[in-house]
Amino acid sequence: MKAIFKKNLLIGLIAASTCVGLGNTAIAQDAPTEMTTLKQGEKVPDFTLMDQNGKPFKLSKYKGKKKLVIFFYPKDESPVCTKEACAFRDAYAKYSDANALVIGINNGTVASHKAFADKEHLPFTLLSDPDNKVLNSFKVKEQDFGNNMKVSGRETFIVGLDGTVVYSFRDFMKGDEHSKQVLAYLNK
């Protein structure tokens, strides 16, 4: 019982610090890890996942036709993830103008993604990766907050028409910065 209380207290403190902007971005970013994410020039693995409408989404159907903006985020409805998703939503027309398809992925359920997309009026695809297989194939790092509390990572990739990574951005605590950085790259 004491361990559960400590874990919940830690989650609450992290969420509270994120909401008021006190999060220390250096905690997770500078932590040494064994796994490195896909790098510029590496081929993106093909995958099929269910979207928020319960329909299969096969990446290979879109490779070569559009630039792909794939963002991995930890949880629907959390404060930082909502800021991130809404930043992509608010700039959606700019992504369309750049011939880019925006795709959000996490291990949430199809129903959770549907509710999140409906509530926040998200015009792009959200994919359910229940076992984090796609997240792991992109080698996105987990954020380790100690005390056995890990959260899936936050990283955004741009995939070029040739199916390789052309740009990536990672910042766990600044979700809304992802869209800004990606647009800056696309508008070069």
Side-chain angles (χ1 to χ4, degrees):
M1 182 70 165
K2 194 173 186 180
I4 293 171
F5 175 76
K6 280 184 176 180
K7 183 176 181 181
N8 287 338
L9 178 63
L10 183 60
I11 291 169
L13 289 173
I14 291 167
S17 69
T18 301
C19 290
V20 296
L22 299 175
N24 181 354
T25 58
I27 292 172
Q29 289 178 328
D30 297 333
T33 59
E34 296 172 17
M35 182 168 52
T36 59
T37 60
L38 290 181
K39 295 191 182 329
Q40 188 173 352
E42 290 186 306
K43 284 272 186 204
V44 172
D46 193 27
F47 61 82
T48 302
L49 294 172
M50 299 303 275
D51 72 12
Q52 72 264 34
N53 297 310
K55 296 181 179 173
F57 177 97
K58 186 164 183 66
L59 188 69
S60 61
K61 180 178 174 185
Y62 300 94
K63 276 186 191 175
K65 296 180 178 122
K66 289 185 174 275
K67 297 170 206 150
L68 304 171
V69 175
I70 301 173
F71 72 98
F72 291 91
Y73 66 107
K75 186 169 177 23
D76 295 338
E77 307 284 349
S78 69
V80 178
C81 295
T82 299
K83 281 183 183 179
E84 180 181 18
C86 290
F88 280 110
R89 175 201 64 202
D90 295 345
Y92 190 72
K94 293 176 183 176
Y95 287 105
S96 294
D97 291 346
N99 193 34
L101 181 66
V102 177
I103 305 159
I105 303 176
N106 78 8
N107 64 0
T109 65
V110 168
S112 173
H113 286 348
K114 177 73 172 152
F116 186 44
D118 288 349
K119 179 181 177 188
E120 300 299 338
H121 308 287
L122 304 178
F124 48 81
T125 301
L126 297 178
L127 299 176
S128 177
D129 184 18
D131 299 319
N132 284 334
K133 288 180 182 175
V134 174
L135 178 127
N136 290 332
S137 71
F138 275 71
K139 303 176 188 166
V140 175
K141 301 170 190 148
E142 289 183 321
Q143 303 302 306
D144 188 348
F145 293 102
N147 294 332
N148 293 323
M149 194 183 94
K150 292 183 181 180
V151 178
S152 63
R154 181 184 319 281
E155 189 158 358
T156 302
F157 298 87
I158 300 176
V159 180
L161 295 175
D162 64 354
T164 66
V165 173
V166 296
Y167 178 80
S168 66
F169 179 76
R170 180 174 187 268
D171 191 316
F172 189 74
M173 300 304 278
K174 295 181 182 175
D176 55 343
E177 190 67 22
H178 285 248
S179 183
K180 290 176 193 172
Q181 294 295 324
V182 168
L183 280 173
Y185 179 84
L186 289 173
N187 291 324
K188 284 202 244 179

